[in-house]
Amino acid sequence: MVPSSFRPAKRLFHPPPSLLISGDGLAVAVDALPAQLDPRLRARAEQGAAWVRERAAKGEQVLVVHHIDADGVTSGAIAATALERAGVTYRTLAVKSMDQVHQELVRESAKSGPEGSAQSALWFCDLGSTAYMQFPDAQRLVCDHHQLVRDGSEESFPHVNPLLDGLSGEELSGAGCAYLVAAALDARNLDLLPLALVGASADLQDRPRSAPAVLGRDGILLPPAGRTSGFHGANAALLAHGVATGLLSARTDLAFFGPQTRPLRKFLAFAEPAVPTATGSQRTAEAFLLSVGIPLEDGDGERPWSRLTADEQRAVRSALVERLVATGLAERADRLWRTVVTVVREPPGPLRELQECGTLLNGTARYGRPEVGLAVARGDRGAAYEEALGLLLDHRKHLANALDALARRGVREMTAIQWTHLEDDVLDTVVGIVCGMALDGLGLRRDLALIAFAWTPDGRTKVSSRSPHELQARGIDLATAMREAAAAFGGQGGGHKGAAGATIPRGCEAGFIAQVDRAVAAQLGVRLPGTPQPAPATTPARMRSGGPQTRLVL
């Protein structure tokens, strides 16, 4: 990949509200940093803002290095906009990882001036906490939330990562870290706050945590009272600030993907959790909706969930709960709900709701078009947006095909993990998405982490891993397991405790997977059998009703 540059968008993601109208009609200045923000994160954000001001004062150029997923795209867009507003010259570079190949790419891309005589400062977004030590001579700012490597110099430069202060990397995304710096830099950057939560949502940080449903009159289970979001910690503070300043709205609603864009039949057909006689296929969903008296179309064509009236939505929600109770599955009812967050100033469409926006952006940089995602995140609703819609269709088709391939190949079960090798049936840039979707939607074992291999274009092997929440509560640490196993074979890895990745030389998959199995078994306190490497039995991916797309969250 090569550094990309793009013209300033005609309209940023939102009109900049440096002055908002308060309830009494007076214009009041608003702090872009949430009042509830942990003071340690606030201090790190101020250090990052001072770094940007120093670059501006010295007239230095900045290379924004960001990851290719939606969190990386949104964090890169936040950084680019903040630099532009501060008068700092910048370029952007999207990378898959920070392995040795991409470290060299960063070094080459950072060269500036006549014949590369000078070096740009480096702002790392959604990565960098494992590779900062590889750039000791550069002016560095790291905004990351992945597990970090400490070498004693991690505090010698502005470094925004919640893990540095003993906080969770699941309560703030890379985009959230970048936003904190932008917010501390200039109050005008408040308008970038929605991007921070798009990135967090794309990294699954908004998924509701367990909470009991409420038993209402007549024994009917109702949505949990008082549960406002799966966001917690700094993300919760950002959401509250976004709602208070009128940038975001949040409400408890159905947890199904696609309230803005999916026709009702698909909205219910691919719903999770499954509701007998209501979900699982478009035909079943249609019969259910008609039985509740919900018209499937209006004057604008097939209706999405967002175009139903409040009374119609209430009727559907009640009917879904009643079906679960009637079929003895009342325990699933609390999984019907999530907090749906929408961007107030975005018109109806794929950018209005956080999860759908993240999916659109995931379909850009992961397929080699980071400049498209950056432009859309920064407000382009013209050519870049139209191209992003086309890329989204391709993204959906590729994921569906990859899930079919995984279902055909099956998984091999070991002591503490289950794994599959998709070879060239999936792009290495999206194997992690497929891994997570398969773990949730193909009926795989929930007591084993899932590891998936895919070939890379340069002859290596990409590895992605995902852990069920049940194992995260038991102490699994996939980031450490992947990093140490990859290092043993000359590769590199890292990530989060519940989701991590690695790149390794092709041909060492067997030894790598055996080492990861041993490491995860030790973390979980699972006893390994006496043989060095168990002989795994091939197990076909067990499907729930509805086929391999049952959990196709697109």
Side-chain angles (χ1 to χ4, degrees), residues 311-503:
D311 287 341
E312 288 175 324
Q313 291 182 352
R314 189 177 303 110
V316 172
R317 288 192 295 261
S318 298
L320 289 171
V321 173
E322 290 168 0
R323 298 285 175 103
L324 287 177
V325 173
T327 53
L329 298 171
E331 72 280 358
R332 294 186 185 179
D334 66 326
R335 293 166 52 203
L336 287 174
W337 323 111
R338 70 175 171 100
T339 295
V340 177
V341 180
T342 55
V343 182
V344 172
R345 299 183 184 183
E346 196 66 44
L351 297 176
R352 184 170 173 82
E353 192 265 331
L354 296 189
Q355 291 185 9
E356 293 179 88
C357 182
T359 297
L360 181 82
L361 296 178
N362 258 327
T364 59
R366 288 185 183 272
Y367 294 86
R369 300 305 308 274
E371 74 284 358
V372 174
L374 286 170
V376 171
R378 301 187 75 218
D380 189 315
R381 297 300 179 265
Y385 177 63
E386 292 300 322
E387 185 169 357
L389 293 177
L391 290 168
L392 177 60
L393 294 177
D394 294 338
H395 180 48
R396 287 171 169 165
K397 293 175 183 177
H398 183 68
L399 293 183
N401 291 336
L403 278 174
D404 284 340
L406 192 154
R408 291 193 306 270
R409 291 173 179 270
V411 299
R412 297 171 70 86
E413 296 176 355
M414 299 180 74
T415 301
I417 63 173
Q418 53 194 327
W419 65 275
T420 186
H421 202 319
L422 294 174
E423 299 179 349
D424 57 359
D425 280 333
V426 63
L427 291 173
D428 63 302
T429 55
V430 296
V431 64
I433 295 177
V434 173
C435 190
M437 292 169 65
L439 186 61
D440 284 343
L442 296 188
L444 301 178
R445 285 177 58 174
R446 303 287 297 178
D447 60 338
L448 300 175
L450 177 61
I451 314 294
F453 296 100
W455 288 338
T456 68
D458 61 2
R460 297 182 293 169
T461 297
K462 168 67 178 179
V463 195
S464 287
S465 62
R466 296 293 185 271
S467 166
H469 291 292
E470 297 90 325
L471 295 185
Q472 294 178 43
R474 291 173 52 190
I476 196 171
D477 185 351
L478 291 174
T480 298
M482 298 284 277
R483 182 174 64 248
E484 294 179 351
F489 293 93
Q492 291 178 296
H496 303 287
K497 291 184 177 181
T503 304

Side-chain angles (χ1 to χ4, degrees), residues 209 211-214 222-231 251-252 337-339:
R209 290 169 288 169
V214 178
L222 304 174
R227 184 171 71 164
T228 58
S229 179
F231 287 132
R251 69 185 188 282
T252 300
W337 323 111
R338 70 175 171 100
T339 295

Side-chain angles (χ1 to χ4, degrees), residues 198-240:
V198 170
S201 175
D203 265 17
L204 309 183
Q205 294 181 353
D206 63 338
R207 300 314 186 256
R209 290 169 288 169
S210 58
V214 178
L215 190 65
R217 290 180 295 180
D218 303 320
I220 298 298
L221 288 170
L222 304 174
R227 184 171 71 164
T228 58
S229 179
F231 287 132
H232 63 288
N235 280 331
L238 289 173
L239 175 59

